[in-house]
């Protein structure tokens, strides 16, 4: 287990841990929460040995293997698959041992190295690596692409896949969802639920934390407090704790005031001096309860639009995609037939690469439509928050300079003090209004972009992953602002809490089309898991084809224990069939009996048409009732057996 006992940890002059104590047991999945700057990442650095405690003690089993996502951007020409494979440390150590043994010609060492490769799962390592990549949104065609061919966000996904590839006893994840789409996020949740080691994760996605973690560590004012339960449970317990602390503080303050009043009144009187002195000592001995100090809530609102055209947009036979410099067109979504009305709240769903961002960019006029551009309503004013919006801020300019330049184009008569006051509402106060944007955190940059959107007074908001750099408080403020906005919202996000709270209808971008998605986010998650399984199956099939066609040119990873792999797969199939057999028999028996019941019911109905005697009619009625009850029991048995078959099959597929 991990045990911290009165640990003090400093970053520069700031104490991020101050005599903090906490225990995390093996196999627990915990979130580490706290405001930005509280020291969460510093605690990770302590656990990995990058930082050392000032005082106190902490311990962790010395044999534990730690995996975490490297924060630097990878720079490599090796393929995506090979880059992820390199994250499997036991496998790489076994491969290095085999190479050394073969170079020395040591037969015994070669045998031991092959045994180590088998223990490290070399026979299916490539398949496992590609399964991770496919789960995180990479296509089959991208598996062999060089690392340097991917953009920054995709390279960070490669780093995440590489960390997941390592067989770890402790997995540290710092904001793992920032560069993920919803489909990859759902897959990651399922993977982490199956993870057998200890997990400690920092995230601002409440539904992700609720789904994955069962313990919450709250870091505040240098103290670590452990709460049993996921993030929502922590919030409930935290609110109760704050209310109790505030009530206890108020009660104690009343008592202090009463004692102080007595002291002030009677300390000069000889007859009361002894009692007054005893109350002075009582005050000195009293263990003072601290007042509740919490971070101030952040709120903002979008301005009322000057106009609300209706409809705002009309699509008729529209196609969107990309056009190369040579004029060659690549259509991503075609045949769009949609109308966007004033006041709509539309969530845009779709697996990675299906064209969600392409559609948004076309509406935002960043990309020209390939055919039949959407018709805009008169007076349409678009506010666009793009995934890469933070990258186009001018790093050498301050928030005030950004607002002055924006104001000159939108509201040329605005005064500088008005702009300063406006920025203050977005937490840019004092010297921050003149601080260079390049020195700011991702969350501060995102707040600046939101401020600039609000100032423009749009009537159509296009939000493409707006929460990537926002903390929980700012995410909640954004949700409230979007709900109060009088215009139209079109939202692409992996933050399900935001989608759930803002959107009242969903569009699905899939297979080159846009259609209504009739269902809620739970239905969509099931859809995404089915898509992920399909991609994993494609990757596994491709990997096996590669191995089979490699022949004598197979690498050590590909050639180890292929016969053993086939035996293991056959054993798994047999074990699965053995599990399924009794439930499949129940299904067959139930179906056979229901068919017999239906046949007998038809006979009863035919006899009743022949107008039998009253006594026989009563007997037939009783028999029909008994058949109805028996059929209900058969249907329940059939349903339960089907559910068991589905559960066993899904469990087998998830561990495959």
């Amino acid at each position: 287990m991990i045990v911290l006992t009165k640990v003090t940890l400093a970053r520069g002059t700031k104490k991020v841990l101050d005599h903090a104590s906490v225990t995390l047991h093996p196999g627990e999945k915990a979130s580490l929460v706290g405001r930005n700057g509280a020291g969460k990442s510093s605690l990770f650095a302590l656990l990995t040995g990058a930082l050392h405690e000032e005082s106190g003690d902490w311990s962790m089993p010395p044999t534990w293997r730690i995996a975490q996502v490297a924060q630097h951007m990878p720079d490599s020409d090796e393929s995506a698959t090979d880059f992820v494979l390199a994250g499997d440390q036991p496998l790489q150590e076994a491969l290095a041992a085999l190479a050394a043994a073969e170079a020395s010609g040591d037969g015994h060492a070669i045998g031991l190295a092959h045994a180590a490769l088998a223990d490290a799962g070399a026979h299916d390592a490539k398949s496992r690596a590609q399964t991770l990549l496919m789960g995180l949104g990479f296509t089959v065609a991208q598996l062999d692409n060089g690392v340097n061919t991917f953009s920054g966000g995709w390279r960070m996904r490669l780093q995440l896949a590489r960390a997941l590839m390592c067989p770890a006893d402790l997995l540290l994840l710092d904001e793992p969802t920032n560069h993920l789409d919803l489909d990859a996020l759902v897959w990651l949740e399922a993977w982490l639920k199956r993870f057998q080691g200890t997990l400690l994760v920092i995230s601002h996605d409440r539904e992700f934390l609720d789904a994955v973690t069962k313990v919450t560590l709250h870091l505040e004012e240098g103290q670590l407090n452990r709460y049993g339960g996921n993030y929502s449970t922590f919030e409930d317990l935290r609110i109760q704790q704050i209310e109790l602390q505030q009530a206890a503080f108020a009660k104690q303050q009343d008592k202090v005031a009463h004692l102080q009043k007595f002291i002030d009144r009677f300390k000069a009187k000889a007859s009361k001096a002894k009692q007054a002195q005893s109350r002075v000592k009582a005050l000195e001995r009293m263990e003072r309860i601290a007042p509740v100090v919490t971070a101030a809530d952040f709120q903002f609102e979008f301005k009322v639009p000057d106009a609300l055209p209706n409809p705002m947009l009309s699509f008729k036979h529209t196609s969107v995609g990309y056009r190369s410099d040579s004029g060659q067109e690549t259509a991503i979504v075609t045949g769009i037939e949609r109308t966007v009305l004033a006041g709509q709240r539309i969530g845009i769903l779709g697996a990675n690469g299906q064209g969600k961002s392409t559609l948004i960019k076309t509406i935002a006029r960043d990309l020209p439509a390939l055919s039949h551009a959407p018709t805009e309503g008169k007076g349409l004013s678009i506010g666009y928050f793009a995934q890469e919006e933070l990258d186009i801020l001018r790093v050498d300019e301050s928030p005030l300079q950004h607002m002055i330049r924006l104001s000159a184009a939108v509201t040329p008569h605005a005064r500088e003090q008005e702009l300063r006051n406006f920025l203050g509402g977005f937490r840019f106060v004092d010297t921050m209004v003149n601080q260079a944007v390049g020195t700011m955190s991702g969350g501060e940059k995102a707040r600046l972009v939101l401020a600039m959107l609000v100032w423009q007074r749009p009537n159509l908001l296009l939000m493409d992953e707006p929460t990537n750099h926002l903390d929980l408080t700012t995410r909640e403020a954004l949700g409230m602002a979007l709900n109060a906005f009088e215009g139209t919202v079109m939202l692409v996000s992996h933050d399900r809490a935001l989608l759930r709270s803002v959107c009242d209808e969903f569009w699905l971008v899939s297979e080159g089309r846009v259609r209504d998605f009739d269902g809620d986010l739970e239905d969509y998650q099931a859809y995404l898991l089915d898509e992920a399984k399909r991609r994993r199956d494609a990757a596994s099939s491709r990997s096996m084809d590669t191995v089979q066609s490699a022949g004598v040119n197979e690498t050590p990873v590909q050639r180890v224990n292929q016969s053993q792999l086939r035996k293991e797969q056959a054993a798994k199939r047999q074990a699965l069939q053995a599990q399924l057999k009794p439930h499949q028999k129940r299904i067959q028996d139930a179906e056979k009996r229901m068919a017999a019941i239906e046949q007998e019911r038809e006979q009863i109905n035919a006899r009743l048409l022949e107008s039998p005697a009253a006594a026989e009619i009563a007997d037939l009625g009783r028999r029909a009732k008994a058949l109805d009850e028996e059929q209900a029991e058969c249907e329940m048995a059939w349903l339960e057996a089907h559910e068991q078959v589905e559960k066993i099959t899904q469990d087998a597929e998830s561990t495959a």
Side-chain angles (χ1 to χ4, degrees):
M1 67 178 67
I2 300 172
V3 180
L4 276 70
T5 306
K6 296 182 178 180
V7 170
T8 297
L9 176 67
R11 290 298 296 264
T13 60
K14 179 183 178 182
K15 287 184 179 180
V16 294
L17 294 179
D18 188 5
H19 293 83
S21 299
V22 78
T23 298
L24 192 61
H25 299 283
E28 286 189 320
K29 294 180 172 66
S31 63
L32 179 60
V33 301
R35 62 177 176 79
N36 285 347
K40 301 186 293 293
S41 297
S42 297
L43 178 57
F44 274 21
L46 175 70
L47 296 177
T48 59
L51 289 178
H52 299 282
E53 68 276 15
E54 306 291 319
S55 63
D57 296 299
W58 74 276
S59 62
M60 182 172 62
T63 58
W64 272 19
R65 193 185 299 271
I66 301 175
Q68 66 173 338
V69 180
Q71 295 303 307
H72 65 272
M73 200 70 68
D75 183 12
S76 173
D77 291 325
E78 62 185 330
S79 72
T81 299
D82 289 341
F83 179 79
V84 173
L85 270 172
D88 190 333
Q89 296 176 24
L91 175 63
Q92 297 307 311
E93 291 166 1
L95 286 172
L98 178 60
E102 289 179 337
S104 65
D106 187 336
H108 179 67
I110 291 174
L112 291 176
H114 275 284
L117 282 170
D119 290 340
H123 62 276
D124 66 347
K126 185 173 183 178
S127 176
R128 285 188 285 117
Q130 293 184 335
T131 297
L132 290 172
L133 288 167
M134 298 285 283
L136 291 174
F138 292 84
T139 64
V140 174
Q142 292 175 316
L143 297 178
D144 294 325
N145 289 358
V147 171
N148 287 339
T149 65
F150 294 100
S151 65
W154 286 96
R155 280 194 253 179
M156 291 311 297
R157 292 196 195 202
L158 287 172
Q159 292 284 36
L160 175 58
R162 185 176 174 125
L164 300 182
M165 188 68 190
C166 179
D169 301 290
L170 173 63
L171 179 59
L172 302 175
L173 297 179
D174 191 347
E175 295 292 356
T177 68
N178 271 0
H179 299 282
L180 301 183
D181 295 322
L182 187 51
D183 51 337
L185 176 56
V186 171
W187 177 88
L188 178 62
E189 280 182 6
W191 192 93
L192 291 175
K193 287 177 183 178
R194 298 193 303 270
F195 176 63
Q196 297 298 309
T198 303
L199 171 68
L200 190 57
V201 58
I202 300 169
S203 177
H204 292 304
D205 187 326
R206 63 168 57 242
E207 293 210 15
F208 173 74
L209 294 179
D210 279 350
V212 172
T213 64
K214 300 298 182 186
V215 175
T216 303
L217 305 183
H218 183 219
L219 178 55
E220 183 179 46
E221 302 297 328
Q223 297 300 305
L224 273 171
N225 293 303
R226 176 188 166 107
Y227 294 81
N230 59 20
Y231 185 82
S232 292
T233 302
F234 154 72
E235 274 198 325
D236 293 339
L237 294 173
R238 177 69 176 151
I239 289 171
Q240 294 173 16
Q241 184 184 64
I242 289 173
E243 290 174 347
L244 289 173
Q245 183 179 344
Q246 187 62 43
F249 174 74
K251 185 176 180 180
Q252 187 182 68
Q253 290 301 106
D254 288 341
K255 185 176 181 180
V256 168
H258 180 74
L259 289 172
Q260 190 64 51
K261 185 177 180 180
F262 184 93
I263 294 167
D264 293 341
R265 183 177 179 186
F266 295 112
K267 63 183 179 181
K269 292 186 178 182
S271 61
K272 296 288 187 180
K274 188 173 182 180
Q275 293 94 322
Q277 190 61 34
S278 69
R279 284 162 174 75
V280 170
K281 291 181 179 179
L283 274 178
E284 292 173 349
R285 290 194 302 267
M286 187 180 293
E287 184 175 345
R288 298 300 177 94
I289 298 172
V292 175
V293 179
T294 59
D297 290 336
F298 171 59
Q299 293 183 340
F300 72 97
E301 61 183 9
F302 290 96
K303 298 180 180 181
V304 177
D306 292 327
L308 285 176
N310 198 21
M312 290 198 167
L313 290 170
S314 294
F315 296 85
K316 290 188 180 299
H317 312 300
T318 302
S319 295
V320 301
Y322 297 91
R323 187 178 286 110
S324 68
D325 294 337
S326 62
Q328 183 176 356
E329 295 182 350
T330 302
I332 307 297
V333 186
T334 61
I336 304 174
E337 301 283 340
R338 298 268 115 185
T339 300
V340 179
L341 303 176
Q344 279 186 295
R345 301 287 190 273
I346 303 169
I348 301 179
L349 308 176
N352 176 67
Q354 293 297 309
K356 303 186 299 295
S357 293
T358 305
L359 175 62
I360 290 290
K361 288 178 180 179
T362 303
I363 297 173
R365 311 174 188 127
D366 278 10
L367 282 177
L370 298 183
S371 66
H372 300 90
T375 302
E376 299 182 355
K378 185 178 180 181
L380 181 69
S381 175
I382 296 175
Y384 179 35
F385 191 115
Q387 286 195 54
E388 62 275 8
E389 189 72 25
L390 295 147
D391 297 332
I392 65 173
L393 293 173
R394 300 187 183 184
V395 296
D396 57 336
E397 291 189 3
S398 68
L400 182 58
Q401 288 173 305
H402 279 82
M403 288 302 302
I404 289 173
R405 190 174 63 256
L406 175 64
S407 176
V410 179
T411 49
H413 301 297
R415 292 173 291 117
E416 182 176 317
Q417 187 58 48
E418 184 181 356
L419 298 177
R420 286 177 178 272
N421 294 341
F422 177 75
L423 285 169
F426 287 83
R427 291 182 174 171
F428 295 103
V429 296
D430 301 328
T431 59
M432 282 192 70
V433 296
N434 292 313
Q435 180 180 339
V437 166
T439 65
M440 292 180 172
S441 68
E444 289 165 342
K445 293 176 183 176
R447 287 206 310 275
L448 177 56
V449 172
L450 286 175
M452 295 170 70
L453 276 182
V454 171
W455 188 265
Q456 295 173 59
R457 202 186 288 266
N459 48 36
L460 172 60
L461 280 172
L462 306 176
M463 313 293 282
D464 192 356
E465 297 293 357
T467 65
N468 277 352
H469 299 278
L470 302 181
D471 59 23
L472 280 163
T473 300
T474 311
R475 290 184 185 210
E476 291 171 0
L478 174 61
M480 289 189 290
L482 290 176
N483 278 322
F485 178 55
E486 295 186 11
T488 297
V489 177
M490 300 182 75
L491 174 63
V492 177
S493 179
H494 66 257
D495 188 322
R496 287 156 295 176
L498 184 65
L499 286 169
R500 210 184 302 277
S501 67
V502 171
C503 301
D504 46 31
E505 60 182 292
F506 295 104
W507 292 1
L508 178 63
V509 182
S510 176
E511 298 178 345
R513 293 287 186 269
V514 179
R515 60 181 174 85
D516 291 325
F517 183 79
D518 298 323
D520 56 21
L521 288 178
E522 281 68 31
D523 297 323
Y524 182 61
Q525 287 184 210
Y527 163 82
L528 289 176
L529 290 173
D530 289 341
E531 285 291 294
K533 178 183 178 299
R534 181 183 61 79
R535 292 197 301 270
R536 288 199 305 271
D537 291 345
S540 298
S541 174
R542 183 176 182 274
S543 178
M544 289 303 296
D545 290 345
T546 301
V547 171
Q548 291 170 0
S549 63
V552 296
N553 295 320
E554 292 174 357
T555 67
V557 173
Q558 294 168 336
R559 71 171 181 256
V560 173
N561 281 338
Q562 290 301 317
S563 62
Q564 180 63 28
L565 171 61
R566 289 190 289 273
K567 290 178 182 178
E568 290 175 357
Q569 290 175 335
K572 286 181 180 179
R573 288 194 296 271
Q574 292 172 0
L576 175 61
Q577 191 56 42
Q579 282 185 284
L580 293 175
K581 188 173 182 179
H583 303 295
Q584 290 172 335
K585 187 176 186 305
R586 286 181 64 196
I587 292 173
Q588 293 172 356
D589 291 344
E591 290 175 343
K592 186 182 298 184
R593 183 57 193 145
M594 284 190 288
I597 289 171
E598 186 61 29
Q599 185 176 2
E600 187 175 352
R601 184 182 283 112
E602 290 176 359
Q603 293 172 354
I604 289 174
N605 291 337
R607 179 60 183 145
L608 287 171
L609 292 174
E610 296 172 0
S611 302
E616 184 178 358
I617 290 175
D619 289 338
L620 290 172
R622 285 191 290 271
R623 180 56 185 159
K625 182 179 179 181
L627 288 175
D628 288 341
E629 293 173 350
E630 186 177 0
Q631 181 169 13
E633 293 175 357
C634 287
E635 288 174 346
M636 182 59 68
W638 183 89
L639 180 61
E640 290 174 349
H642 261 289
E643 289 177 345
Q644 287 299 315
V645 168
E646 185 176 357
K647 181 179 183 301
I648 292 169
T649 303
Q650 288 178 346
D651 289 345
E653 290 172 348
S654 67
T655 56

